[in-house]
Amino acid sequence: KRFMKKLNVAIVGATGAVGQELLKVMDEHNFPYAGLKLLATKNSAGKVINFQGKDYVVEETTADSFDGVDLALFAGGPASREFGRLAQSKGVVVIDNSSTFRLEPDVPLIIPEVNGQAGKDHQGLIANPNCSTILMVGALYPLYKKSRIDRIVVSTYQAVSGAGKAGISELTEQARQILDGEPIHPEAFQHQIAFNLIPHIDVWQEEDYTKEEMKLVHETHKILDDYDIKITPTAVRVPVFRSHAESIYIETETPISADEAREILEAAPRIIVQDDPHNNVYPMPVDTADTDDIYVGRIRNDLNIENGLALWVCFDQIRKGAAANAVQIAELLLENDWI
């Protein structure tokens, strides 16, 4: 893509998993920047990161970091709470990956393929949805356009990289310890994660649902501007390094056959249908890493409910679930002259 305008960009949290991925996606997308600032916590300040052949010294994020910056991509975490609104007040356009601002009324919550128009009237702060929400809504939106969805039952199978570098090293370490017969000491997760599943992500909230589960409810309602969809989520951490998967069951207002659903999804942007189960073809985490697409398979009608449809979806949650979606939002702003 060719853009006329080049922006002064800051990446906040540049040394973490999402920050690193933001740089990778910017490079692959050939994102137009005039200047680049890499920001992180005090602990990471002074590290050198090479980007497109040039060395950048990571700086500690402070109030002054945003002077002269046009666009700030926040990788998420405490920095969003501390500096998000401050950067916005300095005229910087902020695209934030954390959950801090997602449900605030003045902040559009955007998946470009779904509700890109919501970026038009942004007030300088745009939120990236939770990765699980991007996967689910990204996959369901083409079907939703065909027939409104009345009900969603979703179970997520979330990779350990969703918990950052600590999650990745804990799975690696525990797998080795268990195979070597050594004792394990869970830290990043509540229980052993190697060779196990944990039906618990984030803190407990109302009615014994977790915060991660409630994000799927509230964010979906906001993105689709449809607060009547009934959503029942279960979020599970699985011993997979990268790429989340979800088992989704929907009830639509008018029936959609499995064949029709396949056609609709095949025609949708950034969705890849892998659905030939008899030849063992369906989406799997191991095949979707390092891509920006949503993979859909196991598309089948419910055996008993006329309007029921089931599907299995998978994607790289650090890419489309975070970094790639954020960069795509920035590209959307540039394309439409909204920045």
Side-chain angles (χ1 to χ4, degrees):
K1 290 174 185 169
R2 310 277 313 177
F3 298 105
M4 299 303 287
K5 192 184 281 184
K6 288 190 174 182
L7 305 173
N8 285 319
V9 179
I11 293 182
V12 184
T15 54
V18 173
Q20 288 292 292
E21 210 63 39
L22 279 165
L23 285 169
K24 198 170 159 187
V25 176
M26 277 178 65
D27 182 41
E28 287 173 20
H29 287 222
N30 209 6
F31 188 82
Y33 64 97
L36 183 63
K37 262 188 196 181
L38 302 186
L39 305 170
T41 59
K42 195 174 194 160
N43 295 346
S44 297
K47 283 187 180 170
V48 177
I49 293 176
N50 187 283
F51 180 68
Q52 293 189 336
K54 186 177 168 187
D55 282 342
Y56 292 86
V57 178
V58 176
E59 301 169 37
E60 183 188 353
T61 315
T62 66
D64 299 331
S65 298
F66 302 97
D67 297 344
V69 171
D70 303 310
L71 173 73
L73 301 172
F74 278 68
S80 300
R81 284 188 293 282
E82 197 176 340
F83 298 107
R85 289 288 187 189
L86 179 120
Q88 178 195 22
S89 72
K90 294 190 165 200
V92 179
V93 175
V94 173
I95 299 174
D96 180 46
N97 269 295
S98 79
S99 59
T100 311
F101 308 109
R102 285 180 192 146
L103 300 178
E104 299 197 4
D106 65 321
V107 179
L109 184 64
I110 294 179
I111 304 169
E113 297 81 6
V114 176
N115 64 332
Q117 276 300 113
K120 186 178 183 197
D121 301 315
H122 73 83
Q123 310 295 303
L125 182 54
I126 295 171
N128 221 22
N130 187 35
C131 48
S132 304
T133 309
I134 293 176
L135 178 55
M136 182 176 84
V137 177
L140 293 182
Y141 181 65
L143 302 172
Y144 180 90
K145 282 195 294 187
K146 177 72 181 172
S147 167
R148 191 185 159 270
I149 294 170
D150 185 49
R151 178 162 190 236
I152 303 171
V153 179
V154 58
S155 295
T156 70
Y157 301 74
Q158 297 183 221
V160 294
S161 48
K165 288 180 173 175
I168 297 170
S169 48
E170 186 143 319
L171 174 56
T172 311
E173 186 71 359
Q174 275 184 14
R176 188 190 58 72
Q177 287 169 330
I178 290 165
L179 292 173
D180 289 347
E182 295 173 14
I184 60 154
H185 306 284
E187 285 175 19
F189 302 108
Q190 304 89 340
H191 300 279
Q192 170 184 328
I193 185 58
F195 313 105
N196 191 27
L197 305 178
I198 306 173
H200 176 188
I201 298 177
D202 215 332
V203 296
W204 297 102
Q205 291 191 330
E206 63 257 41
E207 305 292 344
D208 290 338
Y209 284 84
T210 62
K211 186 178 178 185
E212 183 76 8
E213 289 159 353
M214 293 313 295
K215 285 174 187 176
L216 273 162
V217 177
H218 300 315
E219 293 179 20
T220 299
H221 287 159
K222 178 171 175 173
I223 292 164
L224 294 175
D225 193 24
D226 182 342
Y227 291 80
D228 296 322
I229 305 176
K230 299 186 270 296
I231 305 171
T232 307
T234 305
V236 183
R237 185 74 70 190
V238 298
V240 166
F241 284 119
R242 194 155 170 153
S243 291
H244 288 356
E246 294 174 352
S247 170
I248 305 174
Y249 165 77
I250 61 172
E251 289 174 10
T252 51
E253 284 187 351
T254 54
I256 298 176
S257 74
D259 284 340
E260 196 180 359
R262 249 176 242 112
E263 280 175 26
I264 290 168
L265 290 163
E266 277 169 353
R270 293 216 170 276
I271 289 181
I272 293 175
V273 175
Q274 291 182 330
D275 194 16
D276 185 4
H278 296 280
N279 288 310
N280 306 332
V281 175
Y282 26 69
M284 294 186 292
V286 74
D287 298 325
T288 59
D290 290 318
T291 67
D292 293 343
D293 297 308
I294 289 174
Y295 294 78
V296 186
R298 298 293 319 277
I299 301 164
R300 60 210 187 275
N301 287 103
D302 190 83
L303 296 170
N304 309 295
I305 310 270
E306 190 191 2
N307 292 11
L309 186 74
L311 49 152
W312 169 258
V313 300
C314 192
F315 80 158
D316 184 329
Q317 91 287 355
I318 301 180
R319 296 281 298 212
K320 183 59 180 163
N325 200 68
V327 172
Q328 285 166 353
I329 292 170
E331 290 171 337
L332 177 82
L333 299 180
L334 278 169
E335 279 163 16
N336 290 285
D337 225 9
W338 295 340
I339 187 168

